[in-house]
Amino acid sequence: MLSIIKQGLARMWAHKRLILFFYFANLITAALIILPLRAALNRFAGHSQMADRLRYGMDADLLIEFLQYSGETIGPILLFGLLAAILYWLLTLYLSGGALKLFASGRQYDAALFWGSAGRYFGRFLRLFLWSLLVLLILLLLPQIITLLQRLIFGKDPYEYITYYSGFIRLILYVIGVFFYLMVFDYGRIQIISSEERATRKALWRALVFIRDHFGRVVLLSLIFALTGTVGFFIYYFIADLLNGSIALTIALIFILQQLFMLFRAALRLTGFASETVLYQKYVMP
Amino acid sequence: MVHKSVVHHGYLLVCLLCLSSNAQHMLFPTPLSPRIANYDIDVRLNSEKHTLVGAETLTWHNTSSDYINELQFHLYLNAFRNNRSSFVLDSNRRWSDKKYKQKNWGYIDVTSITTAEGEDLAPHMHFIQPDDDNPEDKTVLRVPLPEPIAPGGSIVLHINFKAKLPEPPISRNGAKAEYAMVAQWFPKIGVYEHGKWNCHQYHYRGEFYADYGVYNVRITVPEKNIVGATGIEVSRQNNSDGTVTHFYHAEDVHDFAWSTSPDFVEFIDQSQDVQIRVLMQKDHVNQSERYMTAAKLAVAYFQDTYGDYPFANLTVIDPRRGADQSGGMEYPTLITAATAYGIPEKLRLPEMVILHEFGHNYWYHLTANNEYEEAWLDEGINTYSEIQIFNDLYGPTGNIIDLLGLKISDLQFNRMGYISLPDRDPIVRNAQDFYSGGSYGVLSYYKSGLALTTLQNYLGRETMLKIMRTFLGQWRFKHPHTQDFIDVANQVSGRNLDWFFDQVLYSAAVLDYSVTQISSRSIDKKTGFDYAYSTVSDSALSDTTIASVGDSTQKSLDDSAKTYKSSVRVERLGSFIFPVELQVVFTNGDTVRECWDGRDEWVKFTYVRKAEIEFATVDPDNKIPMDVNLVNNSRTRKTQSTGINKWMSRGLFAVQFSLDLPELFIAIIARIIG
Ligand SMILES: [Zn+2]
């Protein structure tokens, strides 16, 4: 497993500029959502002494009034945010075609190959996504089993703590379901790229078969990346908490730290793609 | 506070002595209230069908100077009788739309009504609709009398009734499985005043009004059931049919409610001279400590702050799951709470409900205003008390919510509600006549609470406390009206506060003062006639001109700073007029305070100083929580971007982070679909 991650890391590093592609796509999308919000807040409170309180913590009065009196601005911004998020998702789906192709080919960075593959696989990835929704649907039905079980065991009128804890269990199952779904979608894409499969349904099926056949390894790999991301976040959070202050310098430092973390996340994500490709190639195309 | 325990022990003695006989019970040797409407009720609950069978003896005294020819009764449970009641129609058919089955509705039928002499009054009784002429509404019963009741006279009536509780509870009362919250449940006489009956129908909005009296209530429920009720449990009798009759006695109260369930878990403690009994649901037992602590704090706080709570006990009912509508309500010596499993400690909603509902044992159960016509008089005053109690017990910040870095106080919580709909109605108005349910709530609770808090800041806390204590003292066990409160405030404060109450209570005026402009301009450069005219550069010019007029006294050696003419404009953006203070802070740290009566549309203050203005704030001490916009209260010369940038960089990070969490989007989409 370690060697797979090592190889993955090496392939990612060979194309480290991809980190910037993903990072900037993320940053620009987020900025497009946040900048209008910042402008609205500046317009509303930029010249109020109350805005100064924001340096020390969230101010409920300001928040309450901002939401009440800037509702007409906030609504469209949120709507735009949802739209931007969807576009961002499509964009990363597009970029993933190029990235996965580069990782699969093991070649040096080649702009034509990257962008060409991004365009070439985008349609297939979209179709794969639509088919994979079936898998998602089945996985999301899992938590409903808990609801059903709860009904069967405790009846229509369960104690509140039963509803409460079954809610937790549902949430955990839900997270597990999404975790599996993302794996399926990743290996589906890798399968399309590796075999030039045009029938996305087949690719999806083969991805499922692959995951079944190499269940332990596949899950372990995904878990390692998920855990690394979580540990990274806690390290970020720990430092950010230490740095938390009310002056421009600490605010700027935290901003830089946040962006470093996002770079790390982009790198981690790409390493994940690369490692998954390595794993797939190792067992499918020896 | 010794007298109450003495009374209590004396009372137990009396009870022991007269348990076997049917003698009169006595809690207070001297009645605390006029005791106009007195009830003896035997009631039996069928806990499966949720039906009640009751026999009521009403003794009613005519304290007016009129001959009274008819009586009027509230039959509140008929509000849930069918989808044609005014209650359901007023609710925009919120209930009737949910395909209600037979078991869901509730009703009350008077099966017989006779005088003490045995005269049958049933043939002539009929429903009336004094508020809305909805012929289908059966919540007010008119009973013509064969002979009028003379001034000072009394009447005794025997009334038999059958009732069914709605399931699940609707609007305060009803049943759910083995649990029942039995409120507004018996034929209850209206209030005769000003030459007529005040007996409103039961509406979707608005609450109650009743005369004080003595209640002797025998509640028969299954043996396994635990009962909590208004007053004191005097005795318990096992019946041969597997039921138990709980005998409750209460004096000088104007309502009687009870609750029962075999699943209650009982907790008992004491706060000062008041015994507290908390009846918890099994799945909330881990919150019993929170309930008990809040109830104890409430009793001690109100007794210490406003005056004596004359009753010996308080019962707190925790509503069953699926019966939320029976929570958060006040009855004499009994309140219903509200919570949810797993609610965080720093989300003090259960505490809020208990503190608020206990507050009503002062504002409403000691000062029995007409809640339908002047809801603010108890809800508003009680909200003001609630704001104070939260501030005093849990500190001024984050006293109600302190989660994930967001701190909200009860005061802010009320402001949040208030600014959402501040100006659709005056506060004093019949509940059903408000623009909307939202407006009724916002004005009766939030605006009134904030207005009294504003008044407290204006008069000083001591004066305000004196007003509250005097109001309670003067109107204990009476029916105060809005003007009575104003009179007390004027008398105690020694000021005429009509200008304030007129705006708060009888207008929809909104209070909003704002610093709309500040400016500072250097006036060192002197040009034009009387000053030397020069074409040299600006900086040189200003030195020359000052020197040329020989102003050596002003331009002393230690003072090389420029002189600025500064101005601050404060505007009244709402029509509510209130005196305000203004604080102007200069760049050299100088601070100036101004007072403005707030009458004109705007006012401008100008200064000539050796420093520029840094910022200006109207109401710098935050004395006016009624102000609907606090952000515009201050204005700074420079943009205050540091704090905004801090939060926006956090926001940026949060968005960046979320964008790469496909789980989040799947969750959102799943939520939208599911
Ligand atoms: Zn209330």
Side-chain angles (χ1 to χ4, degrees), chain B residues 36-38 58-64 68 71 149 153-157 189-192 197 211:
Chain B
I36 290 171
N38 305 282
L58 166 73
T59 308
W60 187 80
H61 303 297
N62 179 6
T63 53
S64 78
I68 293 171
L71 303 177
I149 313 164
S154 299
I155 189 168
V156 176
L157 293 178
I189 196 160
V191 175
Y192 189 85
W197 284 100
D211 274 319

Side-chain angles (χ1 to χ4, degrees), chain B residues 208-261:
Chain B
F208 312 104
Y209 186 41
D211 274 319
Y212 287 98
V214 175
Y215 286 77
N216 289 300
V217 182
R218 290 168 188 81
I219 301 164
T220 302
V221 294
E223 187 163 62
K224 60 183 181 193
N225 275 32
I226 292 168
V227 174
T230 295
I232 280 173
E233 185 168 7
V234 178
S235 68
R236 221 175 265 189
Q237 185 192 311
N238 289 302
N239 306 317
S240 55
D241 60 352
T243 59
V244 170
T245 301
H246 301 253
F247 176 23
Y248 275 84
H249 175 77
E251 292 177 4
D252 305 302
V253 295
H254 57 62
D255 201 0
F256 188 99
W258 55 283
S259 181
T260 186
S261 165

Side-chain angles (χ1 to χ4, degrees), chain A residues 184-240:
Chain A
V184 171
F185 193 42
D186 279 1
Y187 286 104
R189 279 183 282 179
I190 291 168
Q191 150 68 219
I192 286 175
I193 283 181
S194 306
S195 63
E196 284 299 335
E197 181 61 66
R198 291 210 160 265
T200 51
R201 209 170 4 151
K202 266 189 203 158
L204 180 68
W205 181 248
R206 284 195 203 132
L208 283 168
V209 170
F210 176 77
I211 291 172
R212 187 200 62 193
D213 292 347
H214 307 277
F215 193 74
R217 285 183 205 97
V218 168
V219 170
L220 184 64
L221 188 69
S222 290
L223 263 182
I224 288 171
F225 281 100
L227 281 176
T228 313
T230 312
V231 169
F233 179 75
F234 278 110
I235 293 171
Y236 150 76
Y237 190 83
F238 177 74
I239 303 173

